[in-house]
Amino acid sequence: MANLWQKLTHHKGNGWWNLPHTASNELNPPHEGPVGGAWLGNWWRFWTHGGVSHAGPKFYWLVGFILAVITALEVWAFALEGLGAWYIPILLILAVAKFIGVVAYFMHLRFDKPMFTWFFASSMVVGVLIFVALMFLMENAHTPVLF
Amino acid sequence: MTQAVAIDHHEPIENTSTGLNSRKLMMWAFLGSDVMFFGAFIATYLVYRGKSLVGPYPSEILDIPLTTLSTFVLLMSSLAMVLALHYVKDGERNKGTLWILAVVVLGAIFMGFQFYEFREFGHLGLTPRTNIFGTTFFILTGIHGAHVTIGIIWMGFMAYSSHKGALRPDNALDLEIAGLYWHFVDIVWIVIFTVIYLISANDGPPPGMESMITH
Amino acid sequence: MTTKALTFPRIFPRPKATTGIWSWIGTVDHKRIGTLYGITSFIWFIVGGIEAIAIRAQLATPENDLIGPEMYNQLFTMHGTTMVFLVIMPLSAAFFNWLIPLQIGARDVAFPRLNALSFWIFLFGSLIINFSWLTGDAPNGGWFGYAPNSGITFNPGLGMTYWIVGLNVLGVASIAAGLNFIVTILNMRAPGMDMFKLPIFTWMTLVTSVLIVLALPILAVAGIQLQTDRIYGTHFFNSLGGGDPVMWQHIFWLFGHPEVYILILPAMGIVSEVLPTFARKPLFGYGFVVFAGIVIGFMGWFVWSHHMFTVGLGPAANTAFSVSTMLIAVPTGVKIFNWLGTLWGGSIRFNTPMLFSVSFIAMFTIGGLSGVIHASPPTDAQQQDTYFVVAHFHYVLVGGALLGIFSGIYFWWPKMTGYFLNEKLGIANWLLMMIGFNLQFAPMHWLGMDGMPRRIYTYAENMGWETSNAAASAGGIILGIGVLIFMINVWYSMRNKVEAGDDPWDGRTLEWSTSSPPPPHDFDEIPQVKYRDDFWFRKYPETISEYYHDHNEHDQAVPSGAQNDLEEENLPVVSGGSDDGHGGIHLPDMSYYPFILGVGVAGIGAGFLSNNAVLFVGVGILVWGMLGWSMEPVNDPEPEHD
């Protein structure tokens, strides 16, 4: 139980998922060029953190661009009109991706202490659970369920 | 000791039990509260989706290209917000002020879109009293618009503050907290854009009532 | 600080008074705000009690025409609303305010001005709701305001509008207070006080605050939807326009069931403080009590539809909510057994607080068990809308929450005032309340089983309900006399002061380590916490080895369920609060902006009830208060240094 509590409240490592690497508590890495070392990681770090240990404008522009692209994809999915049963799941996945993009990077949850994430995520979990349950209840409200 | 080094090296270590800033913690708790607030409205919308007894129905009235544009504007205001915070933290006062002003302007454009949309819908015969779609649509987007308006006023205050030199790297937290609110309003719109506009865009009358469409 | 800051022109000088009315209006001291909460909500308690007595007077005899049906509807609506929102919640808030900073070893809450704001908004909200009595048009749709009965068609008066506006104003106050206490408890703990060294009352306050912050917005949504239905003719709950009145029930109970736990958890916390003190034993199974509280707080979200078993949600939904309702009895039962385990083998003293706490366990268990009974849908179908339900929730709320709160009043009164409440009058108070309470509500069980419906203003003569109803009415009067004796006790004890000293009950937690009443800065020196029940072990170091077996290891200073607060232990700079090393203790300066903002919020509420001019004045005052507030430094710069 104590271990679970620590996981709930303490910041260990870099956060909850490991993309991209938050280098804030590390020294600036030596730039090794595309050949030597973990070039992909360095390339990513350069773009995401402007070569320093904190996310920079370039990174934010990149996130903003990706969010705009996802929005375009959503509208494209709308314009296609042939997705049938896949339409709503696809839209929901894209919306969640945008949601996470803004929350994680623009709102800095990705770079911040995890307790903020827990605050927000726990209310999201409670909210999503009860409101989805509410929709199921109301969906079946006027149709007799044989069980 | 390495753990104790703050994740963001711009910020001082807070003198609190958790090491987290109290105001920021409260802002996040407040956003959790607002999640429930908007969650209840969005759930109401979804429960009542497709239950309108008379037109106009969403498929007749929603203008997806227009709303895509306003969605894009709000998304970019979030980008401007995060850039403003970056420059204020770096002590670049003029750039910071400009980007905060960009947030204000983009937010105002978004509200302009909403105002135009509400008027258009009114002309097309959709009001909160027309049908359940009108009821849920106007109240939800209206409440969201009220949030955006509050955010615009707050950001205007921040821009003034930054212009006067009262917003500096050492109290950039003021802007960060305002920014959290702004981004939150943006993510609410992400959800609204998906569930009200895109998902409902083809909603017509409820099954068995197609014959009652009045063109 | 040499940095430039924006300033806002002051219309009034910053308040400095330490006595008189202005010292209360400008106060940001958590103890004074707690006192304000306590006095205000006790006045509403008397009002709500008078409403209850009137209801019982009407029901004392069959076919009584003392009060007409319309008045009766207003009475039971306002009685429920008052007791839930204006009595139990703010009385708990009075304890939060008074005790949380003292229990965690802090000098104030995290946001003192916000704390004052919560109180003022609460005060004005409660006045708005009760103002409806003066207009002769009090709310009459029940405390749950079921649509469409609360809608404009069936309820064209202003009464339900008062109810909606008042509740939304109160909701703002509650959310602000909830946010404040979450942050206070997480961030303002004294050095060394890990989460698992927190007193149980503090833990339950934390869980309650989280519930408040998450549940009250849903009430706001319900209120807004009902209000737009009433005023602007929308269709949220209007089936002719495609809406569905069942949706109101769902949204209301999505708020309403967590609300139930908001009411009871603080009382559970109080009892968990009183029992160990008077049994002179640590709380049995601290970790279990904490986690049971958290689990109740979480599971409380998933039981709301048990209020709607007879609506016709279908067997699947009814089964699911029946199971979840029965499951939530488990953590509640865990707590009851932990309280019994605390008493077991203790050297018990039956002072008044202990009497109330022990009766709490008994009465709350009865109320809880009748709750489990109607967790079963078929049983509930029999009991729905009968007096059995009335008996159930009064056993939980009066026998539970209210007895817990009275226990807390007797327990902490010496700390708050420095003087004891009289013990003999206290025992008389307890005895009369227990007799009156059981005489009033126990017969309602069989009235309900016999089929007497709730919310009817009278009943026929030949139903066989006369004796039980007469007994219940007599019980109500005895209960009222018990409360009267409490007031006499307060008056008597203020006259004949019996010094209590700093630690009258041989207490366990930090609030007993400071003087009674505490100084404005609470603690001369911020305490360093090493153990759970730290003050006890400071007094009796020889008992440490009894409870902490491995006393060589600092890490083992807390038994099972413990953790080390990593941030806290590794951070080089942690001191308890605002004491920043140069001798003086900085308390936040007084401010009148909370009051102004409160007036602004009340003005907006009044605007919804009257006309737009009032609304705009309210908004204007609100903006003035916000601007002034945001540019007002917590402490005005001191002239000598810095």
Side-chain angles (χ1 to χ4, degrees):
Chain A
M1 207 45 108
N3 193 19
L4 177 70
W5 183 253
Q6 287 206 355
K7 281 186 181 165
L8 282 170
T9 54
H10 295 289
H11 189 62
K12 278 185 187 155
N14 295 309
W16 304 104
W17 63 94
N18 284 322
L19 237 192
H21 190 68
T22 308
S24 53
N25 53 359
E26 295 172 7
L27 295 172
N28 289 349
H31 184 64
E32 291 173 338
V35 182
W39 63 272
L40 187 65
N42 282 329
W43 175 84
W44 178 257
R45 186 169 308 173
F46 177 78
W47 275 100
T48 54
H49 297 83
V52 293
S53 59
H54 188 250
K58 275 181 191 158
F59 174 64
Y60 294 131
W61 278 104
L62 182 69
V63 175
F65 177 72
I66 291 171
L67 293 175
V69 168
I70 297 176
T71 309
L73 281 178
E74 283 183 324
V75 179
W76 186 47
F78 166 73
L80 271 182
E81 285 187 359
L83 293 170
W86 289 99
Y87 180 55
I88 289 177
I90 286 174
L91 280 183
L92 288 180
I93 289 167
L94 290 175
V96 167
K98 273 164 78 181
F99 190 96
I100 290 175
V102 174
V103 170
Y105 299 111
F106 283 179
M107 292 170 97
H108 295 123
L109 276 187
R110 181 67 193 84
F111 312 119
D112 224 325
K113 296 273 189 112
M115 195 189 267
F116 297 126
T117 311
W118 278 104
F119 261 62
F120 192 62
S122 52
S123 62
M124 283 298 297
V125 167
V126 170
V128 168
L129 283 178
I130 63 173
F131 292 126
V132 168
L134 171 64
M135 280 184 265
F136 273 111
L137 287 172
M138 289 303 286
E139 197 62 33
N140 294 327
H142 304 295
T143 44
V145 183
L146 296 175
F147 187 77
Chain B
M1 276 303 161
T2 43
Q3 281 160 311
V5 176
I7 297 305
D8 185 341
H9 61 89
H10 289 295
E11 287 168 17
I13 297 169
E14 293 292 336
N15 187 12
T16 59
S17 314
T18 53
L20 308 172
N21 179 278
S22 292
R23 287 163 60 209
K24 200 167 156 187
L25 195 62
M26 188 180 78
M27 191 65 206
W28 275 108
F30 170 75
L31 294 184
S33 181
D34 233 13
V35 163
M36 304 302 275
F37 185 75
F38 278 108
F41 274 116
I42 293 169
T44 308
Y45 175 83
L46 284 173
V47 164
Y48 287 147
R49 186 184 152 225
K51 299 239 168 85
S52 289
L53 302 175
V54 294
Y57 300 102
S59 59
E60 302 167 307
I61 205 163
L62 289 178
D63 186 352
I64 297 298
L66 182 86
T67 316
T68 308
L69 209 55
S70 74
T71 304
F72 180 74
V73 166
L74 197 62
L75 203 58
M76 288 304 109
S77 79
S78 246
L79 175 62
M81 180 65 241
V82 78
L83 290 172
L85 179 63
H86 179 83
Y87 288 121
V88 167
K89 272 187 177 171
D90 274 6
E92 298 191 47
R93 185 168 135 194
N94 289 337
K95 273 193 179 178
T97 310
L98 274 178
W99 279 112
I100 301 175
L101 274 179
V103 176
V104 174
V105 170
L106 289 169
I109 294 174
F110 175 82
M111 285 312 291
F113 272 115
Q114 188 166 51
F115 183 71
Y116 171 79
E117 184 187 38
F118 278 20
R119 261 181 52 133
E120 273 305 293
F121 285 7
H123 290 157
L124 292 170
L126 185 74
T127 68
R129 294 173 207 176
T130 313
N131 55 21
I132 195 70
F133 169 69
T135 294
T136 47
F137 170 84
F138 279 107
I139 301 299
L140 172 54
T141 52
I143 293 274
H144 178 265
H147 273 72
V148 177
T149 311
I150 292 169
I152 291 172
I153 296 168
W154 195 352
M155 282 302 152
F157 182 69
M158 282 292 152
Y160 176 75
S161 187
S162 175
H163 176 65
K164 289 282 175 191
L167 190 63
R168 299 167 307 272
D170 63 284
N171 64 357
L173 189 73
D174 288 1
L175 183 65
E176 187 173 348
I177 287 168
L180 289 178
Y181 176 82
W182 189 266
H183 294 307
F184 177 76
V185 172
D186 183 29
I187 55 176
V188 171
W189 187 258
I190 288 175
V191 177
I192 290 179
F193 180 60
T194 306
V195 300
I196 291 197
Y197 288 93
L198 295 179
I199 287 183
S200 314
N202 298 321
D203 286 2
M209 292 190 66
E210 284 86 352
S211 58
M212 294 175 72
I213 304 177
T214 46
H215 284 288
Chain C
M1 295 281 263
T2 54
T3 49
K4 188 170 178 272
L6 297 177
T7 52
F8 189 74
R10 284 185 181 285
I11 297 176
F12 310 114
R14 194 158 192 168
K16 298 273 183 226
T18 49
T19 52
I21 179 105
W22 294 107
S23 72
W24 291 95
I25 287 182
T27 190
V28 293
D29 181 349
H30 69 95
K31 299 179 285 298
R32 278 174 171 246
I33 294 168
T35 307
L36 287 171
Y37 263 114
I39 294 171
T40 316
S41 46
F42 198 82
I43 291 170
W44 293 130
F45 177 55
I46 296 166
V47 172
I50 291 170
E51 285 155 7
I53 298 272
I55 292 171
R56 279 323 314 172
Q58 163 67 23
L59 292 176
T61 53
E63 285 165 30
N64 195 353
D65 55 359
L66 182 67
I67 296 165
E70 184 48 41
M71 184 69 177
Y72 185 84
N73 288 350
Q74 298 180 6
L75 278 172
F76 77 68
T77 302
M78 283 303 285
H79 168 71
T81 308
T82 303
M83 288 304 190
V84 169
F85 293 100
L86 309 186
V87 177
I88 309 255
M89 277 176 84
L91 270 179
S92 305
F95 283 106
F96 298 169
N97 270 290
W98 253 98
L99 293 168
I100 295 304
L102 290 170
Q103 285 201 328
I104 62 175
R107 295 224 155 103
D108 209 321
V109 293
F111 305 100
R113 287 184 299 177
L114 185 70
N115 202 19
L117 175 69
S118 301
F119 171 73
W120 294 116
I121 297 182
F122 155 69
L123 175 68
F124 293 129
S126 65
L127 289 174
I128 286 176
I129 288 196
N130 276 282
F131 186 75
S132 61
W133 282 119
L134 301 182
T135 67
D137 197 10
N140 55 5
W143 89 279
F144 33 74
Y146 273 0
N149 185 35
S150 52
I152 198 79
T153 320
F154 300 104
N155 217 326
L158 258 187
M160 288 317 282
T161 311
Y162 275 106
W163 183 79
I164 295 164
V165 171
L167 285 197
N168 275 3
V169 171
L170 290 171
V172 173
S174 300
I175 291 173
L179 293 172
N180 205 342
F181 283 106
I182 291 175
V183 176
T184 303
I185 293 169
L186 290 177
N187 259 359
M188 306 281 283
R189 286 168 281 142
M193 181 170 271
D194 310 334
M195 291 304 281
F196 278 83
K197 290 176 192 161
L198 286 179
I200 291 283
F201 178 70
T202 308
W203 255 114
M204 291 307 113
T205 305
L206 182 61
V207 177
T208 308
S209 300
V210 172
L211 286 178
I212 288 176
V213 162
L214 296 184
L216 268 295
I218 305 180
L219 177 67
V221 171
I224 291 170
Q225 293 179 342
L226 187 59
Q227 182 70 351
T228 54
D229 266 15
R230 287 176 60 87
I231 293 184
Y232 307 113
T234 54
H235 304 297
F236 282 111
F237 310 117
N238 172 15
S239 49
L240 291 178
D244 191 342
V246 174
M247 193 62 185
W248 166 268
Q249 300 192 17
H250 275 300
I251 294 189
F252 184 83
W253 289 116
L254 270 171
F255 147 78
H257 206 82
E259 170 72 18
V260 171
Y261 297 103
I262 292 171
L263 298 175
I264 194 65
L265 282 173
M268 287 176 163
I270 290 171
V271 169
S272 306
E273 297 290 324
V274 172
L275 292 176
T277 306
F278 289 93
R280 299 175 61 85
K281 267 178 73 193
L283 186 71
F284 180 78
Y286 173 95
F288 272 98
V289 178
V290 169
F291 276 99
I294 296 173
V295 168
I296 289 175
F298 181 72
M299 285 172 66
W301 289 99
F302 305 102
V303 296
W304 81 89
S305 284
H306 67 214
H307 296 268
M308 304 164 60
F309 278 152
T310 55
V311 165
L313 302 175
N318 279 357
T319 312
F321 281 97
S322 171
V323 168
S324 66
T325 307
M326 288 175 185
L327 278 179
I328 204 167
V330 174
T332 317
V334 165
K335 286 193 172 228
I336 289 170
F337 282 110
N338 277 296
W339 292 325
L340 295 180
T342 307
L343 294 176
W344 187 266
S347 38
I348 300 175
R349 294 166 294 168
F350 278 110
N351 296 68
T352 318
M354 186 63 165
L355 290 173
F356 274 107
S357 279
V358 172
S359 346
F360 167 94
I361 301 178
M363 296 302 114
F364 180 75
T365 306
I366 296 174
L369 287 176
S370 61
V372 177
I373 290 172
H374 41 240
S376 163
T379 323
D380 182 73
Q382 184 69 28
Q383 292 153 357
Q384 171 89 22
D385 274 338
T386 69
Y387 263 85
F388 192 84
V389 176
V390 181
H392 157 68
F393 68 70
H394 279 93
Y395 262 86
V396 182
L397 290 182
V398 182
L402 199 66
L403 286 187
I405 285 168
F406 267 89
S407 173
I409 293 175
Y410 277 94
F411 186 53
W412 280 298
W413 187 272
K415 177 51 63 186
M416 294 169 179
T417 62
Y419 305 105
F420 280 115
L421 283 171
N422 185 284
E423 193 71 13
K424 282 193 180 121
L425 283 171
I427 289 175
N429 172 14
W430 165 79
L431 199 62
L432 283 171
M433 274 183 77
M434 287 305 292
I435 293 172
F437 164 72
N438 279 299
L439 189 60
Q440 181 173 8
F441 295 109
M444 290 186 188
H445 285 115
W446 38 93
L447 275 177
M449 296 314 275
D450 206 21
M452 178 167 168
R454 294 167 74 178
R455 306 184 203 110
I456 50 154
Y457 82 105
T458 193
Y459 49 94
E461 213 164 325
N462 53 359
M463 300 298 288
W465 297 339
E466 291 94 337
T467 322
S468 300
N469 269 309
S473 297
I477 290 166
I478 297 173
L479 183 57
I481 295 173
V483 176
L484 199 65
I485 289 195
F486 169 75
M487 290 188 277
I488 292 171
N489 194 356
V490 169
W491 172 78
Y492 180 83
S493 308
M494 302 275 250
R495 288 275 304 256
N496 308 291
K497 292 178 172 169
V498 183
E499 291 273 354
D502 294 348
D503 183 21
W505 310 118
D506 204 4
R508 313 184 67 85
T509 41
L510 285 179
E511 74 266 28
W512 303 107
S513 69
T514 185
S515 66
S516 298
H521 52 274
D522 290 357
F523 295 97
D524 293 332
E525 207 174 311
I526 292 296
Q528 301 279 328
V529 178
K530 217 173 153 195
Y531 302 102
R532 183 184 298 158
D533 289 346
D534 197 64
F535 184 54
W536 173 271
F537 291 115
R538 230 187 290 163
K539 287 188 292 187
Y540 305 103
E542 67 277 7
T543 58
I544 293 175
S545 58
E546 205 178 313
Y547 297 108
Y548 295 97
H549 298 299
D550 198 353
H551 47 90
N552 296 322
E553 282 272 9
H554 173 70
D555 287 355
Q556 299 291 314
V558 178
S560 64
Q563 49 105 29
N564 296 313
D565 227 355
L566 278 185
E567 287 97 343
E568 203 165 340
E569 299 203 348
N570 291 335
L571 277 176
V573 277
V574 169
S575 73
S578 51
D579 188 2
D580 46 9
H582 53 92
I585 296 168
H586 290 287
L587 287 176
D589 283 346
M590 293 169 75
S591 171
Y592 53 71
Y593 284 118
F595 183 77
I596 292 170
L597 258 174
V599 172
V601 173
I604 292 174
F608 282 119
L609 285 159
S610 51
N611 57 49
N612 285 344
V614 180
L615 188 71
F616 287 126
V617 171
V619 171
I621 296 175
L622 184 79
V623 170
W624 168 34
M626 284 175 107
L627 284 175
W629 177 314
S630 63
M631 288 180 251
E632 181 184 63
V634 175
N635 288 94
D636 278 339
E638 289 174 61
E640 306 91 22
H641 55 89
D642 284 345

